[in-house]
């Protein structure tokens, strides 16, 4: 039921190009644009075409509400969040801390945003999910 959860899947960036493991991306969530979840939200990366979680050097397959709460990922000073997606770890400190590894073994990947117990705005399709940009 949509009252229990809502899903958004991304397989392309903001220009409409397929998500490719050889590229670097940033998923920017504005301070006032976090998923409206009463329970929690989660962004999970899957390899394409396998549609499986992809082994990676840090064992991270998703970033979610709890990662923000326990400090596993770090917000920007303005309260927004940048999640960096690439096959290789960045040299930048924030990009390393907020890194969601892309597969080295598959050419493409997709992201699934799950919002558990979404609010009415999300259910009605009025909330805009964050956009993935190639950097």
């Amino acid at each position: 039921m949509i009252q229990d959860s809502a899903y958004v899947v991304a397989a392309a960036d903001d220009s409409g190009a397929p998500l490719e493991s050889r590229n670097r991306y940033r998923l920017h969530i504005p301070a006032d644009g976090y998923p409206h979840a009463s329970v929690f939200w989660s962004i999970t990366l899957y390899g394409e075409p396998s549609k499986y979680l992809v082994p990676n050097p840090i064992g991270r397959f998703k970033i979610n509400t709890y990662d923000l709460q326990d400090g596993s990922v770090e917000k920007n000073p303005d309260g927004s969040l940048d999640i960096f997606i690439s096959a290789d770890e960045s040299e930048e400190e924030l990009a390393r801390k907020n890194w969601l590894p892309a597969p080295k073994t598959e050419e493409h990947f997709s992201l699934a945003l799950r919002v558990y117990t979404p609010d009415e705005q999300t259910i009605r399709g009025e909330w805009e999910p964050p956009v993935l940009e190639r950097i």
Side-chain angles (χ1 to χ4, degrees):
M1 295 180 67
I2 196 163
Q3 294 88 346
D4 296 331
S5 60
Y7 304 145
V8 177
V9 176
D13 64 20
D14 61 342
S15 73
L19 299 178
E20 296 185 57
S21 297
R22 65 186 171 120
N23 296 329
R24 293 190 50 176
Y25 299 92
R26 178 178 74 126
L27 182 68
H28 178 75
I29 303 174
D32 63 353
Y34 285 90
H36 302 175
S38 296
V39 178
F40 76 98
W41 56 266
S42 179
I43 298 169
T44 307
L45 188 145
Y46 296 95
E48 292 293 339
S50 73
K51 304 206 183 313
Y52 289 118
L53 299 175
V54 180
N56 63 72
I58 63 171
R60 179 181 278 171
F61 308 102
K62 49 97 182 113
I63 291 179
N64 63 28
T65 303
Y66 305 116
D67 294 320
L68 280 173
Q69 293 172 351
D70 71 12
S72 296
V73 296
E74 185 177 323
K75 290 183 181 180
N76 298 314
D78 67 357
S80 65
L81 176 67
D82 288 320
I83 298 171
F84 297 92
I85 302 162
S86 64
D88 295 312
E89 188 172 11
S90 175
E91 293 183 15
E92 299 171 37
E93 185 178 339
L94 182 63
R96 272 196 318 273
K97 186 160 188 171
N98 296 358
W99 181 36
L100 187 56
K104 289 190 175 198
T105 56
E106 295 189 62
E107 186 177 352
H108 296 279
F109 65 92
S110 64
L111 297 174
L113 168 62
R114 294 176 177 86
V115 182
Y116 294 97
T117 314
D119 68 358
E120 286 299 316
Q121 186 180 11
T122 302
I123 291 169
R124 289 192 307 265
E126 297 168 1
W127 172 74
E128 290 290 326
V131 175
L132 191 64
E133 68 173 320
R134 184 175 166 188
I135 53 175

